[in-house]
Amino acid sequence: MAAASDEPPARPSADLARLAELHGVATSYRPAPDRTVQVPASAVTAALAALGVDATGPDAVRAALTARERELRERLLPPTVVQWAGAEPAAALTALPAGTRLHVVTEDGEERADLTAPGAPGAPGAADLPLGIHRLTATAPDGRTGEACLVVAPDRLPAPPGRSYGLLVQLYSLLSHRSWGMGDLADLAELAGWAGHTAGAGFVQVNPLHAAVPGAPTDPSPYRPSSRRFPDPVHLRIEAVPEFAHAEDRDRLSTLLERAGRLRAAVLEKGALIDRDAVWELKREALEIVAAVPLGPGRQAAYDAFRAAHGQALDDHATWCALAERHGSDWHHWPDGLRDPRSAATARARADLADRVEFHARLAWLTDGQLRAAQRAAREAGMPVGIVHDLAVGVHPAGADAWAQQDVFAAGMSVGAPPDAFNARGQDWGLPPWRPDRLAACGHAPYRDLLRALFRYAGALRIDHVMGLFRLWWVPQGSPPTDGTYVRYDADAMLAILALEATRAGAVVIGEDLGTVEPGVREALERRGVLGTSVLWFERDWEGDGRPLPPERWRADCLATATTHDLPPTAARLTGDHVELRDRLGLLTRSAAEERAEATADAAEWLALLGSLGLLDSPAAGPPGSDEEEEIRAVHRFLLRTPARLIGVWLPDGLGDRRPQNLPGTWDQYPNWRLPVADAEGRPVPLEELTASPRLRALLEVLRPSADGASGQGTAGNGTAGDGSAEGGAAEGGAAEGG
């Protein structure tokens, strides 16, 4: 084997750099304001190849550059044109030659023919052009024509209806005495009903509920789904399906219920991990019995409408599920003809497996119904927002979306993150990225359809790694994450479509903008009404003395929390248990003594600020964690002092649970995504006991809205939710990405 070279990787030539720029591929990036990192030429060449551009040598680069420059020079319109309501005409329209005629067909089929030149009355962007996704044709005086998808979007997304707090929970971890070994959608509805009626909460945020890739075992991460568009039926409450009461094989169903009870008891009483595969095995068998019951006329009509609304996408998803049962869950290893969703072989297989295709389509409909029922329960409990769903940044390369949408995914590429202060090796999340050119060419249809599907049952949507609307780090297959590069997306179009679909649904959008964020991104999101995410431990004066950021300097347009599913619970932060966990697993990069000292100093510094603000009712004389319940309440009193529009409470914090749900950097060393909510001793706590917990109730009492509409205790000095006076204080680096 040849020895590894110490020479730095080759940098792109001037022609390659120009070609990359014209295709939105970066040749360098800035992880910090004072530091620029050059991207290897190999990464640029690989990214261009994934975009269908040959850049394998100087001659190929020059030919591709000439072709691209000619294409951009001669085209009249870009593939997608964005017109913000109330704004000046889009730049793509004002750049058209004088005398160009415009023709618009609205999404409702109305024609606006013979429009005048851009900027004149009646042109796109004028008040009479409706919001929506339209088709625009331009005809220049010299006879050239161009077509584009015209997105007319509201200027801003819906704002939260007032200030509120809510609970953050991983649904699988929320077991009740009725669930089948993991939390389900009926448990979610129960939690929302209790939190709204009893605790005055405004929302419940859950993990992504996207369909998973089946396997042995199934990948437990909710952030590597098979499909983001369709939910996973493993979350169904079987007994809540109306046809369950009319199923004929009662003995078999009774046996399945007994086995489900044993699964539940193993988790809640014996400390077993959540076994998603075992739960799904039981639920699938039960659903096959239930699905044999004919639908009544009204439900049949509703199901038919669902199938019609989702059309080809639902047929593809259900077909992939049926084929995966027969040929395995990685479509790359299926027989040749079946790897193409549009082949004759796939059409024949779909017909041969019609019963299984129908079964999986029915499950998607049933799950959609229970998701919408959970949102109804939340709103009926008085929640102004309701259920906040989570959109993962991508999909599993072996799954249904990657199979059905091969034309819009970049072959041979994976999404990740470049090296930073918290991960010197960078990250590869194993998710194939969308091709920005193919997205633009089809008017971003997969993205539009995805949002529309999720907003059916969401009061708000959290977008994981929201920076991906602007750019994503592409890692060539077989290369380390350090050898990747950024590829840019049409952020204006992505934001416009998001604003349009959120407005139609009346839903709030929260962007997870932790980690490295390029300049201007947070400002662009804020300008359009996308809330950010601010986590207490990262909110420091990074451009000043590095000390904890005072509450009045936090930004208003955010969801403020003490922690997330990827971070230690607050009790672990205060007591230093998170350091001990990482030490036991061999994850520390420094000595345990150094890590403990830094963690103790960090917690002490925050507690000193809480004490100076009068937020600790009885400041403990000992080290951090001496009175952890009071300290956790003080942390949330602090969050109330910020002007944040939304305040999130990590539900396990209300019980003293010290275990993170996910520990980045681990796989089989730690039970990621398989832990039930537990108390300070690690004892699993079912939903029925959780809602009766004095410790949880005392924490939520801090946040409960008072009779005059203000938030609970410790709110003196709060900024109002809409005053916009707070400065952004999010850290530029810090949290793990990819969920």
Side-chain angles (χ1 to χ4, degrees):
M1 179 182 295
S5 173
D6 292 330
E7 295 182 5
R11 295 173 59 173
S13 66
D15 282 347
L16 180 57
R18 174 62 178 160
L19 178 63
E21 179 187 8
L22 295 181
H23 285 279
V25 177
T27 55
S28 66
Y29 67 97
R30 300 179 67 187
D34 59 348
R35 181 169 172 246
T36 298
V37 177
Q38 300 297 325
V39 169
S42 59
V44 175
T45 301
L48 287 169
L51 294 170
V53 180
D54 181 4
T56 52
D59 292 342
V61 169
R62 281 192 292 271
L65 180 57
T66 299
R68 181 62 170 169
E69 288 176 335
R70 181 174 60 250
E71 174 196 350
L72 295 176
R73 185 172 59 249
E74 294 179 354
R75 77 180 187 188
L76 277 181
L77 293 170
T80 301
V81 174
V82 171
Q83 180 61 57
W84 296 99
E88 294 296 317
L93 301 179
T94 59
L96 289 170
T100 298
R101 307 299 296 176
L102 303 175
H103 180 273
V104 174
V105 179
T106 71
E107 64 180 15
D108 294 329
E110 179 186 356
E111 292 196 34
R112 305 286 183 93
D114 297 324
L115 298 180
T116 55
D128 64 340
L129 200 62
L131 299 179
I133 309 292
H134 313 312
R135 200 70 208 162
L136 169 67
T137 302
T139 304
D142 61 6
R144 288 181 298 147
T145 62
E147 290 192 358
C149 171
L150 175 62
V151 182
V152 181
D155 184 58
R156 285 179 62 84
L157 286 81
R163 194 182 199 221
S164 63
Y165 89 93
L167 305 177
L168 318 179
V169 65
Q170 302 281 288
L171 180 56
Y172 59 82
S173 72
L174 185 73
L175 282 75
S176 71
H177 288 306
R178 296 183 180 182
S179 49
W180 288 32
M182 62 181 283
D184 61 32
L185 291 169
D187 294 326
L188 176 59
E190 290 285 350
L191 178 68
W194 171 80
H197 282 303
T198 304
F203 61 91
V204 174
Q205 178 181 302
V206 294
N207 55 288
L209 303 184
H210 310 316
V213 177
T218 298
D219 185 339
S221 172
Y223 292 93
R224 279 170 56 85
S226 171
S227 173
R228 295 190 293 173
R229 178 163 176 176
F230 296 102
D232 198 317
V234 76
H235 300 112
L236 283 169
R237 171 68 62 85
I238 305 298
E239 301 93 316
V241 176
E243 288 71 39
F244 177 85
H246 306 288
E248 294 184 356
D249 197 342
R250 307 310 301 181
D251 289 342
R252 192 169 159 208
L253 284 175
S254 295
T255 299
L256 291 172
L257 284 166
E258 290 174 4
R259 290 169 60 192
R262 291 196 290 272
L263 269 182
R264 179 176 61 245
V267 176
L268 293 178
E269 299 171 16
K270 300 179 182 178
L273 298 175
I274 292 169
D275 188 340
R276 183 197 179 282
D277 292 335
V279 172
W280 175 236
E281 181 182 350
L282 297 181
K283 288 192 175 184
R284 179 187 52 76
E285 191 173 343
L287 286 165
E288 287 172 346
I289 299 170
V290 172
V293 177
L295 297 173
R299 281 178 58 75
Q300 183 66 53
Y303 175 50
D304 292 343
F306 179 83
R307 291 209 68 163
H310 291 281
Q312 185 69 59
L314 179 57
D315 284 344
D316 286 343
H317 176 70
T319 299
W320 182 91
C321 292
L323 289 171
E325 290 177 334
R326 176 167 292 187
H327 299 290
S329 59
D330 187 347
W331 60 270
H332 297 90
H333 301 302
W334 292 355
D336 287 346
L338 301 182
R339 297 175 198 170
D340 179 359
R342 304 291 167 253
S343 71
T346 297
R348 289 192 298 271
R350 182 182 285 117
D352 292 342
L353 297 170
D355 288 348
R356 298 307 296 172
V357 173
E358 166 67 18
F359 174 68
H360 290 291
R362 175 84 67 91
L363 298 193
W365 172 64
L366 293 175
T367 313
D368 178 88
Q370 289 195 10
L371 283 161
R372 288 185 289 112
Q375 173 63 1
R376 282 197 304 273
R379 297 304 296 270
E380 289 170 1
M383 287 188 168
V385 175
I387 308 301
V388 181
H389 284 279
D390 198 347
L391 173 60
V393 70
V395 296
H396 198 291
D401 284 1
W403 174 73
Q405 300 174 13
Q406 293 173 52
D407 57 328
V408 295
F409 281 104
M413 288 287 163
S414 176
V415 174
D420 58 27
F422 293 83
N423 194 323
R425 294 186 297 273
Q427 300 175 63
D428 183 345
W429 304 330
L431 311 169
W434 271 334
R435 283 181 56 166
D437 58 330
R438 294 280 176 83
L439 276 183
C442 66
H444 295 78
Y447 174 62
R448 285 161 26 204
D449 294 342
L450 169 61
L451 293 176
R452 202 165 293 174
L454 292 171
F455 281 133
R456 281 173 59 87
Y457 45 74
L461 184 65
R462 173 194 181 268
I463 299 181
D464 187 45
H465 192 69
V466 72
M467 297 81 79
L469 300 181
F470 296 76
R471 65 178 185 177
L472 284 171
W473 184 257
W474 286 20
V475 181
Q477 196 169 46
S479 297
T482 50
D483 290 348
T485 187
Y486 278 113
V487 176
R488 192 162 295 283
Y489 291 77
D490 185 345
D492 208 36
M494 302 286 268
L495 285 174
I497 293 167
L498 180 62
L500 177 64
E501 298 303 336
T503 297
R504 286 171 162 169
V508 176
V509 175
I510 303 162
E512 186 272 295
D513 57 352
L514 304 175
T516 302
V517 184
E518 68 175 319
V521 166
R522 286 197 177 104
E523 293 79 5
L525 293 170
E526 182 180 8
R527 184 167 63 251
R528 297 303 176 192
V530 178
L531 303 185
T533 301
S534 293
V535 178
L536 180 122
W537 306 98
F538 299 152
E539 291 296 311
R540 289 177 171 271
D541 185 4
W542 298 108
E543 297 180 359
D545 58 14
R547 297 179 64 81
L549 202 67
E552 66 274 9
R553 290 184 57 195
W554 283 43
R555 54 183 170 171
D557 292 325
C558 74
L559 165 66
T561 71
T563 190
T564 74
H565 57 268
D566 276 336
L567 297 171
T570 305
R573 283 272 190 187
L574 293 170
T575 59
D577 281 12
H578 65 304
V579 175
E580 303 308 321
L581 172 62
R582 294 180 66 82
D583 186 28
R584 289 198 302 273
L585 297 177
L587 299 176
L588 298 182
T589 57
R590 299 180 297 172
S591 72
E594 289 178 288
E595 294 279 355
R596 289 189 196 102
E598 182 176 292
T600 300
D602 185 50
E605 193 171 24
W606 274 103
L607 290 175
L609 176 59
L610 299 181
S612 70
L613 294 172
L615 300 177
L616 280 164
D617 280 349
S618 54
S626 300
D627 186 357
E628 70 175 56
E629 290 189 44
E630 171 55 22
E631 291 167 357
I632 291 173
R633 289 194 291 269
V635 162
H636 289 85
R637 292 188 187 106
F638 178 92
L639 296 179
L640 283 174
R641 284 280 185 96
T642 75
R645 292 174 181 269
L646 299 177
I647 297 168
V649 180
W650 179 237
L651 186 59
D653 273 354
L655 301 169
D657 196 347
R658 285 156 163 72
R659 307 160 309 161
Q661 282 293 318
N662 177 49
L663 188 58
T666 63
W667 175 243
D668 56 1
Q669 310 100 307
Y670 186 79
N672 296 316
W673 318 112
R674 289 174 286 171
L675 295 170
V677 175
D679 62 17
E681 285 71 46
R683 183 185 67 86
V685 180
L687 175 61
E688 295 84 352
E689 292 182 25
L690 183 152
T691 54
S693 164
R695 177 169 179 164
L696 175 61
R697 286 175 175 264
L699 174 59
L700 299 189
E701 194 62 34
V702 168
L703 295 143
R704 176 199 296 276
S706 60
D708 62 1
S711 295
Q713 303 173 33
T715 59
N718 274 2
T720 62
D723 64 7
S725 61
E727 300 174 17
E732 285 298 310
E737 303 290 1

